[in-house]
Amino acid sequence: MKINFQYKIAIVTVLLGTQITFAQKKDGDIGTEVVNVVKPYTPTISDAFKVKETPSLEDDDTSKKENILYNIFSFPVASTFTPSKGKAAGVDKEKQEKLFSNYATLAAGNYGNINAELFVTQTLESGDYVGAMLRHLSSQGGIKGVELDDKFSNTGLDLTYGSRSKNLSWNADLGYQRQMYNWYGLNPILYENLIPTDKDAFLNSIDPKQTYQNISLGGRLTLGESVFKEATIKFNRFSDAFSSGENRLVAKPSLAFDFMDEKIKADFVFDYINGKFSKDYFNGPEIKYGFTNVGVKPSFQINKEDLSVNFGAGFFYSMATESGKNKFFIYPNITASYKVVGDLMIAYAGAEGGLKQNSYQEFAQENFFVSPTLAIAPTDQRYDIYVGLKGKLANTIGYNIRGSYMNEGSKALFLRNSFSYYNTNKEGYANGNSFDVVYDDVKTVSFFGELKADFSKNVSFGISGTFSSYTTDTQAEAWNLPSLKISSNLDFNITSKWYAGLNVFFVGERKDITFVQTAIAIFPPTFATETTTLDNYFDLNAHVGFKYSDRLTFFLKGNNLANQNYQKWVNYPVQGVQGLVGANYKFDF
C-alpha cells in the first residue's frame, strides 16, 4: 500500500530539524567576517503559467461523479377554500327609448294650414319588407294685400317593396303626387287705377289655378361581392292642367373593382326626356323638346397614408330628338384630400363638371309659379374648381370652409314674364304673374363656411353661409340668384320630456324685372319692363314639444315669427306669422 504524501513530508521535516540541532551545538560561535559582493543582485522573473480551470486530479476517488436521483412524493391536500367571484362596478344606465316602425302626425294652424303624415312599414316572414308614406300639406290662403286666390295643397303617396340580404338588396318604388297652386302674384299697376266695377271684372276674368301631377316608378339594386355594385332606375310622368306632359327615364348603373391595389370605378348615365307644352306664352304653336344623354364617368382612387386622390373624367353625348344640335362633352372629375393634422384639419380640392338635364318637373318644384310655356334644355356645367379646409376645432365642434369658381353654359334662370293687353293668350298665367326660364353662360365665384357643434347630448348648434358673385354673358343680371344666404339652427332638450328648437335663415337681395305703364291716358295702356331689386329677408321659425310617452308627442310650431311680409318672388308675398299645433303617435303592428 502506498505511503500517503502527507506522511512523507512529516518524516523529512523531523530529520532536518534534528540535523540543525546537532550542528548548532557543535559550533557555538562562528564569529564575524566581512563579505564583499562582487556581482550586484539582479532579480529575475520566472515564466508565468495559467492555472487550469479544471485541474486534473490523480486521486481516483475524487474524480468519480455520483449519480443523484430525485424523487417527488406527492399526495393530495384537502382544501375547503372557495374564491369569491368578481363583480363589475355598478353603472347607471339610461332607459333606452323604444323604437317604433310606424308613425302618424297631424297638425293644424292659422291660414287654414293642415299638415299630415302617415308612415307604415312591415317586415314579412321571407325577410322582405313593404312600406308606405302618405303626406299632405295645404293652406286656405288669406295673405294680406293679395287679390287673387292664394290657397295651395300638396299631397303625395309613396309605396315600396324590397329585400335585404348580405350580398343582395333591392327595392321597387311606386309614387303619386298631386299639387295645386295659384298664380296670385299680380302686379297692382294692372288694376289699382281702375274703377271698382272694371277692377272686379278684370280680376274675375283671371283663373290663377294650376295643378301638377306626377307618377313615378323606380327601383334600386345593390350587389355586395361583385364588380357590378349598384344600379338605379326611375321613370316620371309629369303633367299639368294645361295639357302639358313630360316623360323622363333615368338609369345609373355603377361598376367598381380593384386593380393592382387601386380602386377602379365607372358610373354610367342614361337620361331620356321628352315633353311638350300646348302653346307658347304669346298663344303661339306648341313647344316640343326631347334629349337623350348618354355618359360614362370612369375614375380610379389612390390612397397614400394621409393623402387620397381620385382621378377621373366624364364623357357625355347629348342627342336632341326634337330641336337643337347633337353635342359631345368632356368634363374633369378630380378630387383630393390631405390630412394636415389628422381629423383636426383636412385640406381638400377638386375640379368637377357634368351635364345636367333640366326638366319641367324640376323647374315646377323649385318655382311653383312658372308658366307652362318653357324652353327645356340641358345645362353644360363645364367645371367647378374648389379648395377647402375642414376638420374639428374640438371633439364636438366641426368646421368646413370652401372657395370655388364655377363656369356653366346655358344655366337656367327664372325671369318674370311680361304683360301686354295685346297678348291673345288669356290664360290665368299670362298676366305678368308667372315666370319664364332663360338661359345664359354664368360664372360664379362663391365662398362657403359652416360650423357645427354638439355642446352636449342635449344641445346642438349649426350655422352656415354662402356668398356668391355672378358674371353673366348676355343677360343683364343673374336673375333671382341671391348674393348671400345664411342659415342657423339650435336644438336642445330642456328635460327628458320637453325639447325645443330654433331655425333662422337670411336671403340677400335678388334681381328681377317688373313693368311700368308708359302712358296713363291711353287705353289700353302699354307697359315697359325695368329691373327691380327684391329686398333681403330673414325667416325665424321655432318649435317646442312634449313627450307624453314613448308613443305620443305633442308639439307647437311657429313659422315666420318675425312677421316679415317678404317676397321670395316678385309680387309673391308669403304668409305672416304661422302657428301649428299637432301630435305625433308612434306604433307597431
Side-chain angles (χ1 to χ4, degrees):
M1 182 176 180
K2 291 183 181 181
I3 300 176
N4 198 302
F5 181 73
Q6 288 85 352
Y7 295 153
K8 291 180 181 181
I9 296 299
I11 295 173
V12 172
T13 302
V14 171
L15 292 176
L16 289 175
T18 304
Q19 184 65 30
I20 292 173
T21 302
F22 292 156
Q24 288 178 347
K25 289 181 178 180
K26 184 178 180 179
D27 298 324
D29 185 10
I30 64 175
T32 60
E33 184 177 359
V34 177
V35 179
N36 295 325
V37 180
V38 178
K39 183 177 179 180
Y41 173 73
T42 303
T44 60
I45 301 175
S46 61
D47 295 335
F49 64 92
K50 183 178 180 181
V51 179
K52 295 181 179 180
E53 293 182 0
T54 306
S56 61
L57 301 177
E58 295 179 359
D59 195 345
D60 293 336
D61 294 336
T62 60
S63 63
K64 293 180 179 180
K65 290 184 178 181
E66 295 291 338
N67 294 326
I68 301 175
L69 299 177
Y70 297 93
N71 293 320
I72 299 175
F73 179 68
S74 62
F75 59 93
V77 177
S79 176
T80 59
F81 173 74
T82 302
S84 61
K85 296 181 179 180
K87 295 182 179 180
V91 178
D92 295 333
K93 294 183 178 180
E94 294 184 357
K95 182 181 178 181
Q96 186 175 5
E97 184 176 356
K98 179 176 175 56
L99 300 179
F100 297 92
S101 301
N102 316 291
Y103 74 88
T105 300
L106 179 62
N110 60 334
Y111 291 98
N113 295 343
I114 296 177
N115 186 7
E117 288 186 10
L118 175 64
F119 175 78
V120 293
T121 182
Q122 181 66 38
T123 301
L124 307 178
E125 294 182 357
S126 60
D128 298 347
Y129 63 91
V130 61
M133 167 67 84
L134 175 64
R135 294 187 180 95
H136 175 79
L137 176 63
S138 63
S139 174
Q140 297 305 309
I143 301 175
K144 183 179 179 180
V146 172
E147 298 290 344
L148 299 178
D149 192 358
D150 60 330
K151 61 185 178 182
F152 67 88
S153 66
N154 187 343
T155 304
L157 175 63
D158 295 300
L159 304 175
T160 184
Y161 184 91
S163 175
R164 284 190 296 262
S165 62
K166 182 178 179 181
N167 297 321
L168 172 66
S169 63
W170 62 271
N171 66 275
D173 303 320
L174 175 65
Y176 173 77
Q177 185 179 29
R178 183 183 186 278
Q179 300 168 290
M180 188 276 293
Y181 293 94
N182 284 278
W183 288 292
Y184 65 86
L186 200 62
N187 193 329
I189 197 174
L190 297 179
Y191 57 82
E192 61 184 0
N193 294 323
L194 299 177
I195 61 176
T197 54
D198 292 341
K199 175 182 176 180
D200 293 340
F202 173 71
L203 296 177
N204 292 333
S205 66
I206 300 175
D207 181 7
K209 184 178 179 180
Q210 168 66 302
T211 302
Y212 301 116
Q213 294 188 80
N214 184 66
I215 300 175
S216 62
L217 177 64
R220 176 186 294 271
L221 173 65
T222 303
L223 300 177
E225 299 178 358
S226 173
V227 174
F228 180 83
K229 291 301 180 182
E230 67 174 5
T232 61
I233 185 170
K234 188 172 184 179
F235 171 78
N236 281 296
R237 169 62 183 179
F238 188 72
S239 59
D240 65 11
F242 294 86
S243 302
S244 305
E246 179 181 83
N247 300 314
R248 188 177 186 186
L249 176 64
V250 180
K252 294 182 178 180
S254 178
L255 306 178
F257 57 91
D258 294 335
F259 178 74
M260 297 181 63
D261 297 331
E262 305 296 344
K263 294 183 178 180
I264 310 297
K265 184 178 180 181
D267 296 327
F268 297 87
V269 178
F270 175 82
D271 193 341
Y272 168 81
I273 189 171
N274 180 272
K276 71 176 184 66
F277 299 104
S278 61
K279 55 186 174 183
D280 65 14
Y281 186 74
F282 296 100
N283 209 31
E286 67 177 7
I287 303 173
K288 292 184 178 182
Y289 58 92
F291 296 91
T292 301
N293 304 319
V294 180
V296 58
K297 297 189 292 184
S299 64
F300 68 94
Q301 190 176 64
I302 299 176
N303 295 313
K304 299 294 183 182
E305 297 181 350
D306 294 333
L307 178 64
S308 177
V309 182
N310 184 84
F311 293 97
F315 304 92
F316 285 83
Y317 186 71
S318 178
M319 294 173 284
T321 57
E322 291 294 340
S323 62
K325 298 180 180 179
N326 299 343
K327 296 182 180 180
F328 180 73
F329 304 90
I330 300 178
Y331 300 104
N333 185 20
I334 303 172
T335 60
S337 64
Y338 178 73
K339 294 183 178 180
V340 181
V341 186
D343 292 333
L344 300 179
M345 183 180 295
I346 302 174
Y348 63 93
E352 299 180 88
L355 184 66
K356 177 185 177 182
Q357 178 58 60
N358 298 304
S359 68
Y360 181 35
Q361 180 197 14
E362 293 176 349
F363 287 147
Q365 299 308 302
E366 187 176 354
N367 185 345
F368 303 122
F369 313 111
V370 293
S371 62
T373 58
L374 307 179
I376 306 297
T379 295
D380 176 17
Q381 296 178 333
R382 295 163 183 164
Y383 53 81
D384 180 13
I385 302 174
Y386 58 88
V387 292
L389 201 65
K390 62 182 180 180
K392 296 181 179 179
L393 298 176
N395 289 333
T396 59
I397 302 177
Y399 68 91
N400 184 13
I401 55 175
R402 182 182 65 201
S404 67
Y405 176 76
M406 179 182 290
N407 187 344
E408 297 175 280
S410 299
K411 181 179 178 62
L413 304 171
F414 294 110
L415 181 64
R416 185 182 179 88
N417 279 315
S418 61
F419 173 78
S420 174
Y421 276 106
Y422 299 98
N423 186 2
T424 57
N425 187 354
K426 300 304 180 182
E427 302 290 357
Y429 59 82
N431 296 280
N433 54 339
S434 61
F435 292 84
D436 192 13
V437 172
V438 296
Y439 296 88
D440 195 11
D441 294 346
V442 180
K443 298 178 179 64
T444 306
V445 178
S446 63
F447 298 94
F448 169 81
E450 182 181 36
L451 186 68
K452 291 184 177 180
D454 293 325
F455 298 111
S456 68
K457 64 179 181 180
N458 294 323
V459 181
S460 63
F461 171 77
I463 185 172
S464 63
T466 303
F467 172 78
S468 302
S469 177
Y470 308 98
T471 302
T472 57
D473 186 18
T474 59
Q475 297 293 323
E477 300 285 349
W479 306 114
N480 284 293
L481 294 181
S483 58
L484 181 62
K485 296 175 68 175
I486 300 175
S487 63
S488 179
N489 67 278
L490 175 65
D491 295 292
F492 51 92
N493 294 323
I494 304 172
T495 65
S496 60
K497 293 288 187 179
W498 290 90
Y499 66 91
L502 294 172
N503 174 267
V504 59
F505 59 89
F506 175 88
V507 177
E509 295 180 347
R510 291 91 60 219
K511 300 288 187 179
D512 204 325
I513 63 170
T514 187
F515 45 89
V516 294
Q517 189 171 344
T518 56
I520 300 178
I522 301 176
F523 188 86
T526 57
F527 300 93
T529 59
E530 65 178 14
T531 301
T532 185
T533 300
L534 281 77
D535 294 335
N536 50 43
Y537 64 89
F538 75 94
D539 200 325
L540 176 63
N541 307 312
H543 66 271
V544 61
F546 174 70
K547 297 180 181 178
Y548 179 79
S549 65
D550 291 341
R551 295 176 178 270
L552 183 60
T553 300
F554 298 97
F555 61 86
L556 172 64
K557 293 183 178 180
N559 297 328
N560 195 11
L561 295 179
N563 198 24
Q564 298 289 302
N565 192 27
Y566 61 84
Q567 297 182 15
K568 184 176 180 180
W569 309 101
V570 174
N571 293 329
Y572 277 89
V574 300
Q575 296 177 350
V577 178
Q578 306 154 44
L580 281 174
V581 179
N584 175 274
Y585 182 74
K586 303 173 185 177
F587 60 96
D588 286 329
F589 291 118

